[in-house]
Structures are given as structure tokens and as C-alpha cells.
Amino acid sequence: AHPRNKQYRFELAVVLFRLGRNGRAKFHLEQLRGTDLTPAERRVITRMIGEIDARRVWSGYFSFNLRPESNGTKQTEDRILVIGGLPLILNDTAIGKPTVSSIVASGITYAPTLGQGVKAQFSLNAYLKYNTEAALRDYQLTGRAGLSFSKDPARYWEGGILLGTRRSSDRPYSETFGLYLNHARRVGAAGTWRIGGEVSRAFRRGRSSDIDRTFVSVGYSHAIGGNAQLSLLGFVEKNDTDQLNLDGFRRGVSISGLYGFDGGLMTSITLRSEADDRKGINRVFGAARSDRKTALDLRVYHRDFRIGSFAPEIQFGIERNRSNIPLADYTNRYLSLGMTRKF
């Protein structure tokens, strides 16, 4: 494979296009936007991408990951804390420890055409995290129903309603209802802007307070040279609830790069930074929780290597959370071994 050779990549995209391998064909066509194309070549690629989007009715993904973590409970690793000048000895349940989680993420989308450039959108997504410790188990199911508009190949809109259910720590946690809206716009020869928003209410089970959530994200991606891509993303999230330890404001930014080597080896690296400020005063430490998290992820996979119909991948990562609440100040390292499939 020669990812920097635009002729090779285009011929590969055409073959995949004719075989109906829409996802892989579109990936290669999008990467070609970062190469030196003539106006005629660029028009052909834009037309092919539009045809792929128009003819795709069913799409989905499935992934399974085994994730060992050095501090999966995300708690301090210190056994003794000093509070008000006095030492506090923590028990084992309050100290971070290694864990291994099994994570399944999957989704399916049905998008029938209603008219030129207009589609219905129905999707169902699942996130299932299992751990031997019940407190770390998390099961989420989210459905969306809406419409998408792409009459102009350079612009895309989608929006609708969402419904979700969540089970945490082996107990029912919440039912969610909300609205979402996303927009994408091509910029220049190789760039794409994306903006998305969501407003929702999580109806908590038991006596817990409901949570009103507002989330907005803005991102930009740029194809480079046919074998690389640079992406920037920023987000803000506001949670309003009477449960003050969850009421607060979170925001973050990330920068990531994707690079394809000759032969098909793909690597991506992501640097993330987040800030999370809560309103509720911790009675033990006398302060509202304020966290600053930095994380670095490295993902490695081979574009053409398959085990059956699944693509194996390896992910390494480290995250450092600095918190004014010593119990939540931690460092975590992880390794994820996974298998993915898109269709």
C-alpha cells in the first residue's frame, strides 16, 4: 500500500466503491482531499462521496475491548491523607487499584431516502462495560430518530430526538429524553468544520435528582498529503441538578493526528485536556470539587489486516487528574486490546 500515491489511493477507492464497501471507500476519498488535485479530480471525488452518502441505507459498527488499567477505580493511590493538619488513614475501598474491564460498543443506523438530499435517521447505540467489581459496571443504550439534509455536497445537517437508558453499578440509574442537532461544512480543499449540540434531561431512579444537560462541541479536521489527518475538538457541558456534587460545568479541548505508513500500518495520537468544576461543597474537605485532567492516547492498527471480518487494534494511554479533593487526585495508565468492525 502506498497511501501518499494519490493515483493508487483513488484506484483503490474506486474498487471499494464498486464493491459497495462504502465506509472504506469514503475514508480513502476523504483522504484524497488532502492531496494536490486538479479541479476535475476534485469534482469527481466530491461526486463519489455524495453518491456513497445517498446510497447508504444501513450502517453499523461493533467493537470489543479488553482494557487493563493501573488505576481503574480512579482514586488516589496515597494511603494517608493530611486533612487540617491531621493524618487520615484510608481503607482499601478508597484507594485506587488495578482493574480489567471488558467493553463492548456497537451501533446500527437505518437511513432510508425520503427525497433528494433528505433522509430519515434511526439509530441504536450501546455501550456495555463489565468489571468484576459491580461499582465499575456501566450499561448504556441510546436511540435516536430524526432527519438529515445534504442537498449541497459541502453541507450536512441532522437533528432529532434521543431516548436513553442507563444501568450503573448493577442498579437502574436513569432514563434520558432529549434533542440533538449536528452540522458539518467543508472548508477549502481539505478541511471540514463540525458543530453539534444536545439538550437532554436524565430522569434519575429512586430519590436522586434529575439532571438537565446541555452539551456543545466544535471540531475541525484537515486531510494532509493523502496519508495524514489533523483534528481539533472543543466542547462545553453544563449539568443542572439539585444534587450539587453533580451540578457543574465541564469543558475540554483535544488535538489528534492520524498517519498512514506505507504498507498499511495506521497510527493515531490524541492529547486531551479537560476542566470540571462542581458546585457542591465537600463536607470533609470544605471545598467544591475542581478537577483538571490531561490524557494522552496512542492507537495502532493495520488498515488491511483482518481476523475474520474484524480488525485488531492496540491502544495505550495515560491520564493524570489533578483535583483539589485529594481522594480524586490520581494517575491512570491503560492498555486496550480490541477488535472492531464497521459495515
Side-chain angles (χ1 to χ4, degrees):
H2 304 281
R4 286 168 291 187
N5 186 318
K6 72 173 186 179
Q7 187 61 35
Y8 171 85
R9 188 182 283 274
F10 179 72
E11 291 174 357
L12 176 60
V14 169
V15 171
L16 293 169
F17 177 84
R18 291 173 177 171
L19 291 173
R21 304 290 296 274
N22 295 325
R24 295 186 65 191
K26 185 176 180 180
F27 169 80
H28 290 291
L29 292 169
E30 291 284 2
Q31 288 301 111
L32 279 167
R33 295 179 62 222
T35 62
D36 184 19
L37 298 172
T38 66
E41 290 172 334
R42 196 168 297 281
R43 286 194 296 270
V44 170
I45 289 171
T46 299
R47 177 180 57 79
M48 292 178 66
I49 292 174
E51 289 183 20
I52 288 173
D53 290 337
R55 75 185 187 185
R56 180 187 287 184
V57 177
W58 289 96
S59 61
Y61 67 92
F62 177 89
S63 70
F64 171 80
N65 290 275
L66 192 65
R67 186 182 175 107
E69 300 180 74
S70 66
N71 187 348
T73 56
K74 299 186 178 183
Q75 297 168 302
T76 182
E77 296 173 274
D78 297 329
R79 182 166 290 275
I80 300 177
L81 301 180
V82 177
I83 302 176
L86 300 176
L88 173 66
I89 300 176
L90 303 178
N91 60 33
D92 290 340
T93 61
I95 299 174
K97 57 185 175 181
T99 65
V100 178
S101 299
S102 300
I103 301 173
V104 172
S106 64
I108 189 168
T109 299
Y110 175 58
T113 299
L114 301 180
Q116 185 176 357
V118 182
K119 285 189 169 189
Q121 293 272 3
F122 303 97
S123 67
L124 185 64
N125 297 275
Y127 174 84
L128 311 173
K129 178 182 178 182
Y130 176 80
N131 194 285
T132 54
E133 292 196 33
L136 300 180
R137 296 172 192 163
D138 191 10
Y139 310 113
Q140 301 178 41
L141 190 65
T142 304
R144 288 179 169 83
L147 296 172
S148 68
F149 304 87
S150 58
K151 292 186 177 182
D152 182 344
R155 295 176 177 83
Y156 175 84
W157 291 90
E158 68 172 11
I161 63 173
L162 65 89
L163 298 169
T165 183
R166 182 177 181 184
R167 185 177 178 86
S168 180
S169 304
D170 279 352
R171 295 190 299 270
Y173 182 82
S174 66
E175 310 291 337
T176 299
F177 175 81
L179 304 173
Y180 70 93
L181 179 66
N182 298 311
H183 174 58
R185 177 188 294 262
R186 297 192 187 281
V187 181
T192 302
W193 279 104
R194 291 182 174 85
I195 184 169
E198 177 185 313
V199 291
S200 62
R201 166 166 284 194
F203 299 91
R204 302 283 302 280
R205 296 293 185 90
R207 298 181 179 180
S208 300
S209 300
D210 296 340
I211 302 174
D212 291 320
R213 176 177 182 259
T214 303
F215 179 86
V216 177
S217 66
V218 178
Y220 175 77
S221 61
H222 193 91
I224 304 170
N227 68 321
Q229 181 173 288
L230 181 67
S231 300
L232 302 171
L233 178 68
F235 75 87
V236 294
E237 179 183 27
K238 181 71 170 66
N239 290 308
D240 289 309
T241 175
D242 292 335
Q243 192 172 341
L244 295 182
N245 65 317
L246 297 178
D247 187 293
F249 183 64
R250 190 168 71 98
R251 61 274 188 202
V253 294
S254 68
I255 179 170
S256 61
L258 172 70
Y259 188 85
F261 292 90
D262 290 349
L265 182 67
M266 306 291 292
T267 60
S268 68
I269 187 168
T270 301
L271 177 64
R272 296 181 286 114
S273 179
E274 297 181 9
D276 189 355
D277 296 312
R278 313 287 177 85
K279 289 185 178 180
I281 302 297
N282 186 291
R283 294 181 181 179
V284 175
F285 297 98
R289 180 171 171 175
S290 180
D291 291 2
R292 299 295 182 268
K293 181 188 292 186
T294 303
L296 182 67
D297 301 288
L298 174 64
R299 180 169 166 247
V300 180
Y301 63 99
H302 197 285
R303 189 186 61 237
D304 302 317
F305 180 70
R306 295 287 187 274
I307 298 178
S309 57
F310 290 86
E313 67 176 34
I314 301 175
Q315 184 176 350
F316 308 89
I318 180 171
E319 58 183 359
R320 175 73 176 98
N321 190 63
R322 292 176 172 84
S323 178
N324 64 336
I325 305 300
L327 289 173
D329 193 282
Y330 68 87
T331 299
N332 181 36
R333 300 171 182 84
Y334 50 89
L335 167 68
S336 180
L337 305 173
M339 305 283 286
T340 65
R341 184 186 178 189
K342 296 181 180 180
F343 55 90

